Amino acid sequence: MINRLLVANRGEIARRVFATCRAMGVETVAVHSDADADAPFVAEADQAVRLPGSSPAETYLRVDLILDAARRSGADAVHPGYGFLAENAEFAAAVTDAGLTWVGPPAKVIAAMGDKLAAKALLAEAGVPMLPSWTDTDEIADFPVLVKASAGGGGRGMRIVRTADELAEAVASARREAAAAFGDGTVFIERYVERGRHVEVQIFGDAHGRVVALGDRECSIQRRHQKIVEEAPAVVPERVRAALHEAAVAAGRAVDYLGAGTVEFLLAPGGEVFFLEMNTRLQVEHPVTELCTGLDLVGLQLLVAEGEPLPAVLPASTGHAVEVRLCAEDAAAGWRPATGTLHRFSVGAVAAEFGGLAGPGLRLDSGVVAGSVVGVHYDSMLAKLIAWGRTRAEATRLLAGALARAELHGVTTNRDLLVQVLRSPAFAAVEIDTGFLDRHPEVFAPLLPADRLPITALAATLAGAAHRRATAPVLGGLPSGWRNVPAVPQTTGFVGPDGDEIEIRYRLDRTGRLADWSRTSAAEESAERPTAPTVALVEATPDRVVLDVDGVRRAYRVHRVGSAVFVDGPDGAASLAELPRLPLPTAAVAAGSLLAPLPGVVTRVHVQVGQRVAAGDPLLTLEAMKLEHPVLAPIDGVVAELPVPTGGQVQTGAVLAVVDEKDPR
């Protein structure tokens, strides 16, 4: 039996495994980099071992360090989570050779499925349907095609190519990203199916030769070929479901599968099923299967690793579960990763964390808590929020409502996008495929309408006034801005979410009621200002403001951290930066400067100083959070400066390039 388990991973999956271990009475060991020393998963483990190393990201991939940590902590088993080590055959073999129990499929199975080209050939012989694929670009005559990394997964090293002219650069870029992510730049090319759906089957195998399918999942809503919305079961005809399960079990039996695995398929519009890949690990989206079956998949992993057979009778899937991946990124800015401190992380009405949900409700699997620091070393996913309901519509409504009301302060997230997707008519009608986001740009709009931002800024202003009154050392009982004879109104300036400045002018009467208010912004100075709504102040405290807006009472929650003000209201949330009343002079950057949005490494410089560029042309490539991010010219002009060479590391705000829109000729 397993008595002490080391989890060779971090964040949310480590916490998820630890939760099952506590329920089963298994002791836990965490390993961590210096960057994760204060992370929640480290605090929750019974023991924790620091992994030394100069790179916080690479320390988790060091097999020698993991095995040494297991020896020092007295662990007798290793769970790889669902990171890169979970699909590393050499790591699995090393764990077994060290006399430890490996919680996963044997090394030979991982090796067989880790090479996607070899896996396709092997499973094709077992009758699993395949898409045409190539390794020689000269053999490709029809487009579009999809370039894929042979090793690894998670959408890294994957590119859609629609014309022959794009192929060479797409292959080169995919190879670079795959080599950086997996240490293997091998790629291959498959036929790309337009409007295809990504559907997968959860399989499980035991040491007694049994391989079963435990339901299926729909994972078609993706960004950059990475899943962000998943649900179970997939909404497909029963004949398609039967074909999916049959092909998945055949794939598992072909390699004598052991433990938890996922067989991923592409579902073409006509109903044809094609194999994509087999992931020899637990998947990020496994909670939707757990909620529909009532099974603890991590618990099953541990029992199978101990040699126990799978239960003779497995529960059928009931109800519907939907999961979203909450990520630290700006979806409207090209999925730019975000960093910073999570000043508040609160999701109300959560019934369970990491499992244990019985009946309709919400489950939260999170790698962060309030106060966590989000850095650049790891994947941008912060947490998963999952809802289970009797129907798909019920689960979706519950999830969207909870997500919209969550208080997520300090780091930009993809929350608004996720809510817009869940509430979109196309999602409700199951009109989904892997190109959903490309065809529905409306889901990138913020939840908070632009015309409601001034009211939100007014709420922040009144909360600030209440805060100053509550902390005033003298005459704290007087209303804010009190004068014997009313004169000019009080003013508060903010920088809004889009970078525009907003000025709120207001006056309170002698009873503390809102006597008058107005607002100005850069956008309104050149356009006809819309009619301001009629607003009455009902209540104002430092952290809560209630306003009557055109006869409708609205409550706003306000959280202030220094000059940052976070407002959550009935229309949506906004992050504002209050401007100082007497700003100090600051150094200015040259006009046309492109600044680094977050720390990273410049991996390629595409232009030279003096070169003419057009708006949208790539200037350089910045790598951060394990992904490449192109830096594009914002205007037509001439490259005036390129201060960072290839391989240079930059911090947030560093000047990457300067484009002069004036023609020096």
Side-chain angles (χ1 to χ4, degrees):
M1 293 186 67
I2 296 172
N3 295 304
R4 183 174 297 165
L5 179 72
L6 182 147
V7 177
N9 212 308
R10 60 178 299 279
E12 168 262 328
I13 181 56
R15 299 185 75 194
R16 166 68 190 91
V17 176
F18 292 163
T20 290
C21 288
R22 286 192 295 270
M24 296 177 65
V26 176
E27 297 179 27
T28 56
V29 180
V31 291
H32 66 88
S33 67
D34 289 339
D36 277 338
D38 298 322
F41 78 93
V42 177
E44 291 177 3
D46 295 313
Q47 298 184 48
V49 180
R50 172 183 174 269
L51 299 178
S54 57
S55 170
E58 292 177 358
T59 54
Y60 288 102
L61 304 180
R62 289 275 302 275
V63 174
D64 57 332
L65 297 181
I66 300 293
L67 293 179
D68 181 63
R71 178 188 58 78
R72 287 194 284 154
S73 63
D76 57 7
V78 173
H79 191 300
Y82 39 60
F84 295 142
L85 285 181
E87 295 182 301
N88 185 320
E90 293 181 359
F91 180 51
V95 169
T96 304
D97 291 344
L100 305 173
T101 298
W102 168 252
V103 183
K108 65 177 183 179
V109 175
I110 298 175
M113 294 297 102
D115 184 336
K116 292 184 175 60
L117 283 169
K120 285 170 66 73
L122 174 64
L123 298 184
E125 293 182 3
V128 180
M130 297 288 168
L131 283 167
S133 61
W134 305 269
T135 56
D136 185 348
T137 57
D138 293 335
E139 297 177 356
I140 301 171
D142 296 325
F143 290 85
V145 296
L146 186 65
V147 182
K148 300 176 70 174
S150 181
R156 295 181 177 89
M158 192 177 291
R159 303 286 188 275
I160 298 174
V161 182
R162 298 192 178 278
T163 66
D165 294 340
E166 303 171 357
L167 186 58
E169 173 55 29
V171 169
S173 175
R175 283 175 175 160
R176 287 194 305 271
E177 189 169 278
F182 316 123
D184 183 350
T186 304
V187 300
F188 66 99
I189 302 163
E190 282 183 342
R191 178 166 65 86
Y192 180 70
V193 176
E194 299 281 5
R195 299 215 170 192
R197 288 168 60 183
H198 187 129
V199 182
E200 61 190 33
V201 178
Q202 176 73 61
I203 65 168
F204 239 97
D206 62 23
H208 305 273
R210 188 176 176 208
V211 178
V212 298
L214 295 180
D216 42 76
R217 301 185 283 254
E218 174 79 54
C219 306
S220 296
I221 308 295
Q222 302 178 0
R223 62 95 166 98
R224 287 188 167 184
H225 309 292
Q226 292 181 324
K227 309 160 190 173
I228 56 172
V229 180
E230 301 108 349
E231 53 182 312
V235 183
V236 295
E238 287 307 312
R239 62 174 180 81
V240 173
R241 194 183 319 280
L244 288 166
H245 289 206
E246 180 181 354
V249 171
R253 287 175 177 163
V255 293
D256 296 324
Y257 201 81
L258 178 69
T262 302
V263 187
E264 303 192 353
F265 296 93
L266 182 69
L267 180 61
E272 303 96 334
V273 171
F274 299 104
F275 173 83
L276 286 176
E277 62 184 11
M278 180 190 288
N279 286 305
T280 52
R281 53 180 167 84
L282 197 66
Q283 292 278 84
V284 177
E285 57 272 21
H286 76 274
V288 293
T289 298
E290 291 186 323
L291 293 186
C292 288
T293 62
L295 295 169
D296 181 336
L297 297 187
V298 175
L300 275 184
Q301 281 187 298
L302 300 183
L303 292 175
V304 166
E306 292 175 334
E308 294 292 324
L310 289 167
V313 179
L314 293 165
S317 178
T318 60
H320 204 93
V322 185
E323 169 184 299
V324 293
R325 301 190 193 189
L326 186 67
C327 299
E329 61 189 16
D330 189 341
W335 309 104
R336 185 175 65 204
T339 59
T341 300
L342 272 170
H343 300 299
R344 181 170 293 173
F345 185 80
S346 175
V347 183
V350 169
E353 294 189 30
F354 304 106
L357 180 64
L362 289 168
R363 165 176 162 178
L364 177 67
D365 286 18
S366 171
V368 297
V369 295
S372 292
V373 176
V374 180
V376 299
H377 305 296
Y378 310 113
D379 187 90
S380 63
M381 192 178 80
L382 303 175
K384 303 176 309 196
L385 188 61
I386 316 102
W388 184 89
R390 286 175 287 269
T391 65
R392 183 175 186 264
E394 179 183 314
T396 301
R397 181 179 61 187
L398 174 62
L399 181 58
L403 196 59
R405 289 188 292 272
E407 296 183 8
L408 311 171
H409 300 169
V411 177
T412 302
T413 73
N414 63 340
R415 180 261 301 277
D416 285 14
L417 171 88
L418 296 173
V419 175
Q420 297 281 32
V421 169
L422 294 173
R423 289 177 173 172
S424 70
F427 184 84
V430 202
E431 296 172 356
I432 54 179
D433 58 69
T434 56
F436 181 91
L437 296 182
D438 294 331
R439 290 197 319 280
H440 293 281
E442 69 276 6
V443 300
F444 289 86
L447 286 177
L448 181 67
D451 61 351
R452 289 292 180 182
L453 184 58
I455 296 292
T456 303
L458 174 62
T461 298
L462 297 174
H467 172 74
R468 289 189 291 274
R469 288 295 84 204
T471 58
V474 294
L475 301 178
L478 290 180
S480 176
W482 185 87
R483 299 289 188 275
N484 281 326
V485 178
V488 296
Q490 297 187 80
T491 62
T492 302
F494 299 96
V495 175
D498 57 1
D500 286 344
E501 293 188 8
I502 305 169
E503 184 179 72
I504 298 295
R505 301 174 182 176
Y506 69 102
R507 184 168 58 84
L508 301 179
D509 64 18
R510 297 184 180 219
T511 66
R513 291 179 297 183
L514 183 65
D516 188 24
W517 81 285
S518 64
R519 86 280 193 211
T520 60
S521 69
E524 291 175 344
E525 289 179 357
S526 58
E528 183 177 349
R529 186 179 304 174
T531 303
T534 301
V535 179
L537 174 60
V538 178
E539 174 190 349
T541 67
D543 55 9
R544 186 172 186 268
V545 173
V546 180
L547 301 175
D548 185 299
V549 182
D550 288 337
V552 179
R553 184 168 293 193
R554 298 172 176 269
Y556 299 83
R557 305 182 302 279
V558 183
H559 176 209
R560 180 181 293 269
V561 181
S563 61
V565 186
F566 306 99
V567 184
D568 295 280
D571 298 309
S575 174
L576 306 170
E578 185 171 338
L579 295 170
R581 298 194 177 192
L582 300 172
L584 296 173
T586 58
V589 297
S593 295
L594 290 136
L595 307 182
L598 73 169
V601 177
V602 174
T603 56
R604 296 185 73 200
V605 178
H606 305 282
V607 295
Q608 298 177 338
V609 172
Q611 180 176 333
R612 288 200 61 81
V613 294
D617 285 352
L619 303 181
L620 51 89
T621 300
L622 184 69
E623 184 179 304
M625 285 189 170
K626 302 181 182 180
L627 294 174
E628 288 188 343
H629 308 278
V631 177
L632 308 178
I635 55 173
D636 296 346
V638 176
V639 179
E641 296 181 33
L642 289 169
V644 186
T646 300
Q649 294 191 344
V650 296
Q651 297 298 316
T652 302
V655 177
L656 298 174
V658 178
V659 178
D660 189 347
E661 65 178 336
K662 298 178 181 178
D663 190 339
R665 297 174 297 181

